[in-house]
Amino acid sequence: MGEFRMPVLGADMEAGTIVEWRVAVGDAVRHGDIIAVVDTDKSTIEVEVFEDGVVEELLVPPGVEVPVGTPLARLRGPGAPAEPAMVTAPATAAPVEAGPARLGERPTDEVFVRASPMARRDAAVAGVDLVELVGSGPGGAVVARDVATAAASRPPEPGAPEVVPETRSAEAPRRRAEMRRAVGALMARSAREIPHYYLATTVDLGATTEWLRETNAQRPVAARVLPAAVLFRAVAVAARQVPVMNGVWTDAFVPSEAVHLGVAVSLRGGGLIAPAIRDADQMGVDELMASLRAVVQRARAGILRSSDFTDPTITVTNLGDQGVDEVYGVIYPPQVALVGFGRVVDRPWAKDGLLGVRPVVRATLAADHRASDGIEGARFLAAIEHLLQSPEDL
Amino acid sequence: MNTTEARALFDRLVNRIAPEIDPATADPRAPIQDALELDSMDFLNLVTALHEVTGVEVPEHDYPKLATIDGFVTYVVDRTPCR
């Protein structure tokens, strides 16, 4: 089967550091299993493996920064015979400067505790045993806060430095600054390279809001659908109908077979990330809502999965909650389109010769004029509008 | 549940959903979506967590009653048994 290499997790990623291995030599892995947790400058990501196999050798230890593409582990196919293990030093590795302690590989008799990567790192630094902690994170996982509380409530050892809070407080601003820099570079590139054109339309959302009201009234809160999920579903379906909006630009437009919908997620404390919902056109509204909920939670918790970094083929941004009427966005290169939604507001509306009040939303399109013309953009927005008149069919 | 307990519950749930936010410093009469920078996804998670922890089911038409911290506390106190 071959080598597992440092993946590209974000268009501008150049290097990454393994925070911890989630497997040991000899472990069997299946498609979708998380094999390692990787740190980039911007975020911590759980990396999934995409084939079945058995781990033969781990080539790079945690704590060492390596360029994208560096072999990290050797795996063999499920039926292949084992090869003798070789002692390997990491190839072109740059050591990470003073930071949290290396975690090393798991000893085979250790109980596996569900904990976030940040919590594991903080625990190693503070000398707190994860097994003793009660987790307050999702599913009872131990999160950094639990480690900080445990570390703070221990009687202080004489001369022991207060390391945990410092590590955390130095980490967050550095991360944000790095993220700001990366987003800025991407947006500057977009402004430089992409000739944007902009279109806007007002969409009557009466049918959608009514459908949501009826649907959600019959559902427990955990199963309810947000308007955003319906809007995003309409964008995904429309992208299939107007393919020139869905793909990437290299030297020419390359249309995509699949619709991977990028969703712009703002992070508290500043920062913007746009993970992808894979095959958004293949999921109904409920499934899309569940995916949206999960990816936003992961993005905000700082623990994304490598599958979240699938290159989006088109992105949507929804600033309705912030109270703006419309969004004129900047396309994420190498994509060719960005759809924006403002807030849903009640407006006077003429329908069938009568004046009434309808909930409406402003939908905008920023598109790459090298890939499409205004008429195609208009067709795309019209498709979105049309789909939102029959939400039950989405 | 009494007012103090309901307020403590609110702080705990917000902590779970948005650990970076400190609800203790927020104005209890201000809309939480502004004061605590919660968006509609966060609000849905808050209502879901409330149900998980207390069993209190909040129909959509009651969402405006939970718009402020005071509103949340009153709503929860009215719907949970006192000891």
Side-chain angles (χ1 to χ4, degrees):
Chain A
M1 183 189 148
E3 290 173 327
F4 168 67
R5 294 168 179 269
M6 179 63 78
V8 179
L9 301 164
D12 52 347
M13 177 185 168
E14 288 168 356
T17 307
I18 298 227
V19 172
E20 63 171 304
W21 283 105
R22 289 282 177 87
V23 297
V25 173
D27 285 352
V29 293
R30 284 192 324 265
H31 166 94
D33 284 352
I34 293 168
I35 187 171
V37 180
V38 167
D39 221 45
T40 67
D41 281 333
K42 283 165 61 176
S43 42
T44 304
I45 300 146
E46 294 179 334
V47 181
E48 298 135 307
V49 69
F50 289 105
E51 288 178 292
D52 298 348
V54 176
V55 179
E56 243 182 359
E57 193 184 348
L58 300 177
L59 302 170
V60 176
V64 175
E65 186 178 53
V66 297
V68 160
T70 306
L72 300 174
R74 270 193 314 129
L75 298 115
R76 65 173 189 272
E83 288 175 24
M86 293 177 294
V87 174
T88 324
T92 45
V96 170
E97 67 283 15
R102 290 181 177 206
L103 295 173
E105 291 185 357
R106 272 190 288 136
T108 48
D109 58 354
E110 183 185 300
V111 173
F112 184 69
V113 177
R114 281 201 67 224
S116 76
M118 191 71 78
R120 285 180 192 281
R121 208 163 31 190
D122 289 353
V125 169
V128 171
D129 192 343
L130 288 174
V131 173
E132 294 171 12
L133 303 182
V134 175
S136 67
V142 174
V143 292
R145 195 174 47 250
D146 303 322
V147 176
T149 309
S153 63
R154 277 180 315 179
E157 294 164 24
E162 190 65 42
V163 179
V164 172
E166 240 169 45
T167 311
R168 284 293 269 122
S169 61
E171 186 82 17
R174 188 183 64 80
R175 274 266 151 92
R176 276 204 294 282
E178 194 47 52
M179 185 176 282
R180 188 80 258 154
R181 190 202 60 77
V183 171
L186 206 58
M187 296 291 96
R189 177 181 152 203
S190 179
R192 243 188 349 259
E193 294 176 5
I194 303 180
H196 284 61
Y197 70 89
Y198 293 96
L199 299 175
T201 193
T202 306
V203 178
D204 178 350
L205 227 50
T208 292
T209 50
E210 188 50 41
W211 179 82
L212 278 170
R213 200 179 0 249
E214 282 168 10
T215 306
N216 285 335
Q218 295 161 25
R219 292 185 180 193
V221 63
R224 287 181 201 157
V225 176
L226 285 177
V230 183
L231 298 176
F232 294 179
R233 170 74 181 145
V235 172
V237 174
R240 278 237 94 92
Q241 297 174 356
V242 186
V244 76
M245 296 292 147
N246 183 56
V248 296
W249 180 272
T250 44
D251 293 312
F253 176 61
V254 180
S256 171
E257 284 290 309
V259 178
H260 302 316
L261 187 67
V263 176
V265 180
S266 63
L267 305 174
R268 263 178 281 275
L272 182 65
I273 205 163
I277 296 180
R278 287 179 66 90
D279 297 311
D281 60 318
Q282 312 277 328
M283 337 174 142
V285 169
D286 285 337
E287 200 184 338
L288 203 147
M289 177 68 193
S291 295
L292 184 63
R293 230 177 158 157
V295 81
V296 169
Q297 178 169 28
R298 284 200 293 274
R300 288 188 175 154
I303 316 166
L304 285 166
R305 304 242 176 93
S306 50
S307 52
D308 294 331
F309 285 92
T310 301
D311 289 333
T313 55
I314 181 172
T315 296
V316 62
T317 181
N318 177 22
L319 285 174
D321 289 329
Q322 275 62 45
V324 295
D325 286 334
E326 47 196 66
V327 184
Y328 291 103
V330 182
I331 299 169
Y332 285 79
Q335 296 163 49
V336 296
L338 175 76
V339 181
F341 289 105
R343 64 194 165 132
V344 180
V345 283
D346 284 338
R347 289 273 182 259
W349 193 259
K351 194 174 162 94
D352 301 326
L354 297 172
L355 192 62
V357 174
R358 298 287 278 181
V360 302
V361 71
R362 285 286 276 176
T364 52
L365 172 69
D368 184 337
H369 218 320
R370 297 170 300 181
S372 67
D373 295 330
I375 190 164
E376 289 154 317
R379 209 173 283 147
F380 181 58
L381 281 183
I384 293 172
E385 172 167 18
H386 183 77
L387 289 163
L388 289 170
Q389 304 313 305
S390 308
E392 64 283 354
D393 294 335
L394 277 172
Chain B
M1 196 177 296
N2 66 32
T3 310
T4 315
E5 288 165 330
R7 179 58 209 262
L9 174 66
F10 178 82
D11 289 352
R12 209 163 68 238
L13 295 181
V14 168
N15 216 329
R16 217 212 278 193
I17 291 159
E20 322 81 354
I21 293 172
D22 184 12
T25 57
D27 177 357
R29 283 159 308 173
I32 56 179
Q33 298 214 10
D34 296 329
L36 299 178
E37 288 182 19
L38 299 177
D39 65 15
S40 53
M41 181 73 80
D42 297 320
F43 186 80
L44 190 65
N45 287 334
L46 179 69
V47 174
T48 305
L50 175 64
H51 180 245
E52 269 170 34
V53 172
T54 64
V56 172
E57 183 79 47
V58 185
E60 261 196 342
H61 56 78
D62 276 355
Y63 285 176
K65 296 182 184 160
L66 300 176
T68 63
I69 299 179
D70 280 348
F72 179 98
V73 168
T74 306
Y75 193 90
V76 172
V77 167
D78 289 348
R79 282 163 186 77
T80 50
C82 302
R83 275 172 287 162

